[in-house]
Amino acid sequence: MSSLYSIKDLVTKKRHLHCAAQKVLNNGGCGGIDGVEVEEFRENYTKNMSALYRQLTEDRYEPQPVLRTYISKGNGEQRPLGIPVIKDRIAQQAVKQILEIHFEEIFCDCSYGFRPNRSTEDAIKKVEEYKEQGYNWVLDTDVKSYFDTIDHEILMELIAEEVSDGWILDIIRSWLTIGVMTEKGKEETTEGTPQGGVISPLLANIYLHHFDKKMTRRGYKIVRFADDFIIMAKSKAKAERALEVTRQIIENELNLRLHPRKTVITNFNDGFKFLEFKFYNCDYKKPKESSIKSFKDKVRKKTKRNRSIGVAVMIDELNLIIRGWGNSFLLGNIKGLYKKLDGWIRMRVRCFIEGKKAKGQNYRLPNKILRDLGLESLLTDVL
């Protein structure tokens, strides 16, 4: 039976809309197809919010198509993003804040992605906990093109199991079907939820909650982060059975597809990759090669010798990258890797300061000088 009804008044409270707006505006990001950027929206905040309030309360709200753009996935492929206009991002945030409170009460513990007070670190700790309990075999998989292939009708049915407010259901459907604007014009969206939409992560978790419930009720040890998940078992045979059950639910009930190249049955001895970590040799784990490459690419970009900025500014920018990436892998066996990367980073900084190529004589700037300039270390400042 649906649990949420008559929640329009909660979503459209002016204080609630204001809180949603502040969150969206503080997150920044580019504008949508209307060309309105965050600062421009702020300049006309009262007028913009009054218009949105009237549209929602008078049932005149209609979203605009999302702007299609692409970001690199780091493997030569590109991931499509759909950027809503700021007004629609605020409306989505307002709805999300209400729905999330309810769905957080029913979501399964095995789900870690896009949820408040949960992180990749929590997911990794759960993997290690299951391993200590003897679950050494792993079904490692994810859903192919998950966000782009979510079935709208199934999603709406799953939401309607908990939400009976037709006003909310109609608005969510409008976000799903409004279409995307590309260089060739508007394209219809008959499936999927756009990556880039404020409410999309919550909708994605609602969709796979059906899978979480069925798997946990059968006793499977699952750790899921969005569409990337592993199922742990005590034998290869049980892992193979888990794959059969997973395929039945994912493909037959949710109309999705498991990624053929990323679906494998393995164990801790042979190794596997999950959430930017590579697990192998039983108790050893380190960042995936693609994560290290992405980190080094960011460092290279900040330390290009032709950048017309001061050393202090460059180091400040670099330190943010060092801390952010370094803190992501504190659960790994990374002392040796961090030491090696520290040396490489210092080489890049010396080349920036001296204006020389990497093969130049880097001994002229001792480590102490770089420390005095404020350069942080993965090994001593992060670890």
Side-chain angles (χ1 to χ4, degrees):
M1 180 178 294
S2 300
S3 301
L4 289 176
Y5 54 92
S6 300
I7 57 176
K8 175 182 177 180
D9 290 343
L10 296 176
V11 172
T12 57
K13 280 185 177 180
K14 288 187 177 181
R15 179 177 294 180
H16 181 76
L17 283 173
H18 173 72
C19 291
Q22 293 309 304
K23 188 170 183 64
V24 168
L25 297 177
N26 289 338
N27 283 340
C30 62
I33 64 170
D34 62 358
V36 176
E37 301 291 340
V38 168
E39 287 308 313
E40 183 179 351
F41 193 96
R42 284 188 189 277
E43 290 173 1
N44 300 283
Y45 183 80
T46 301
K47 178 182 177 181
N48 290 329
M49 291 302 295
S50 295
L52 177 59
Y53 173 77
R54 289 194 301 271
Q55 290 169 9
L56 290 171
T57 55
E58 298 172 6
D59 296 336
R60 295 188 295 105
Y61 169 77
E62 293 183 4
Q64 294 180 259
V66 299
L67 177 65
R68 171 62 54 82
T69 185
Y70 295 88
I71 60 171
S72 174
K73 295 174 65 174
N75 58 0
E77 300 179 2
Q78 288 189 316
R79 174 181 287 113
L81 292 182
I83 309 299
V85 298
I86 295 174
K87 176 198 71 172
D88 292 337
R89 298 211 292 265
I90 293 171
Q92 289 187 19
Q93 180 66 31
V95 172
K96 172 180 176 287
Q97 289 174 176
I98 299 299
L99 295 186
E100 190 172 62
I101 294 172
H102 172 76
F103 280 99
E104 275 299 310
E105 294 180 353
I106 65 173
F107 280 160
C108 299
D109 287 339
C110 65
S111 167
Y112 292 89
F114 307 122
R115 295 183 60 186
N117 304 315
R118 287 182 163 236
S119 65
T120 56
E121 181 177 336
D122 297 322
I124 295 301
K125 287 180 178 178
K126 180 58 68 173
V127 172
E128 295 179 329
E129 178 184 321
Y130 285 150
K131 180 185 178 299
E132 290 299 317
Q133 296 173 6
Y135 295 89
N136 293 304
W137 283 89
V138 176
L139 165 60
D140 181 14
T141 186
D142 68 9
V143 180
K144 184 176 181 180
S145 303
Y146 175 52
F147 282 85
D148 297 329
T149 58
I150 288 176
D151 187 299
H152 288 174
E153 296 308 317
I154 295 177
L155 174 59
M156 293 308 302
E157 289 175 6
L158 293 173
I159 297 172
E161 290 179 3
E162 299 293 331
V163 180
S164 60
D165 189 322
W167 182 81
I168 288 288
L169 295 175
D170 288 344
I171 285 183
I172 292 175
R173 184 180 288 277
S174 73
W175 289 329
L176 294 173
T177 59
I178 193 60
V180 298
M181 192 65 70
T182 69
E183 294 179 352
K184 298 179 180 179
K186 182 180 177 181
E187 295 182 0
E188 300 298 322
T189 46
T190 58
E191 61 181 3
T193 177
Q195 297 185 64
V198 174
I199 202 169
S200 292
L202 175 60
L203 299 182
N205 271 334
I206 292 173
Y207 201 81
L208 283 180
H209 176 57
H210 174 81
F211 172 70
D212 295 342
K213 286 190 299 183
K214 287 210 162 186
M215 296 301 288
T216 54
R217 286 172 182 172
R218 297 187 184 201
Y220 287 108
K221 305 301 182 184
I222 176 174
V223 182
R224 182 176 68 81
F225 199 99
D227 60 323
D228 188 7
F229 60 90
I230 62 173
I231 300 172
M232 303 176 67
K234 290 187 176 181
S235 69
K236 184 178 181 181
K238 291 183 177 180
E240 290 172 342
R241 175 56 183 161
L243 175 56
E244 294 176 7
V245 176
T246 296
R247 198 179 298 278
Q248 162 66 28
I249 299 172
I250 292 293
E251 300 190 349
N252 295 350
E253 298 180 21
L254 293 177
N255 197 25
L256 300 168
R257 292 292 177 268
L258 295 181
H259 201 299
R261 289 189 293 105
K262 297 180 180 180
T263 299
V264 296
I265 292 176
T266 183
N267 55 53
F268 280 85
N269 285 328
D270 294 333
F272 62 95
K273 297 176 182 178
F274 183 56
L275 298 182
E276 302 303 318
F277 275 101
K278 181 177 180 180
F279 295 79
Y280 60 101
N281 291 341
C282 292
D283 294 321
Y284 196 86
K285 60 184 179 296
K286 70 174 185 178
K288 295 192 302 186
E289 290 84 354
S290 59
S291 297
I292 298 173
K293 180 181 181 302
S294 176
F295 170 70
K296 295 181 78 170
D297 286 344
K298 291 177 181 177
V299 172
R300 287 190 183 95
K301 185 176 180 179
K302 293 299 182 183
T303 56
K304 283 185 176 180
R305 299 190 311 277
N306 60 357
R307 293 189 72 198
S308 57
I309 61 171
V311 174
V313 174
M314 182 275 293
I315 288 178
D316 284 343
E317 295 177 354
L318 193 57
N319 284 341
L320 289 175
I321 296 172
I322 291 171
R323 288 195 299 270
W325 188 83
N327 283 322
S328 299
F329 298 98
L330 295 181
L331 293 177
N333 306 84
I334 36 74
K335 185 175 181 179
L337 172 65
Y338 278 15
K339 181 178 181 180
K340 182 178 179 180
L341 287 173
D342 273 345
W344 178 80
I345 292 169
R346 288 192 291 265
M347 177 272 292
R348 294 287 310 182
V349 172
R350 290 186 180 105
C351 292
F352 177 90
I353 295 173
E354 298 174 349
K356 294 180 178 291
K357 293 183 179 180
K359 295 181 180 180
Q361 296 177 339
N362 295 309
Y363 62 83
R364 290 181 296 179
L365 285 176
N367 292 347
K368 183 179 183 307
I369 298 296
L370 299 181
R371 292 288 294 176
D372 291 343
L373 290 172
L375 180 64
E376 296 183 5
S377 160
L378 285 166
L379 191 61
T380 60
D381 293 309
V382 176
L383 186 60

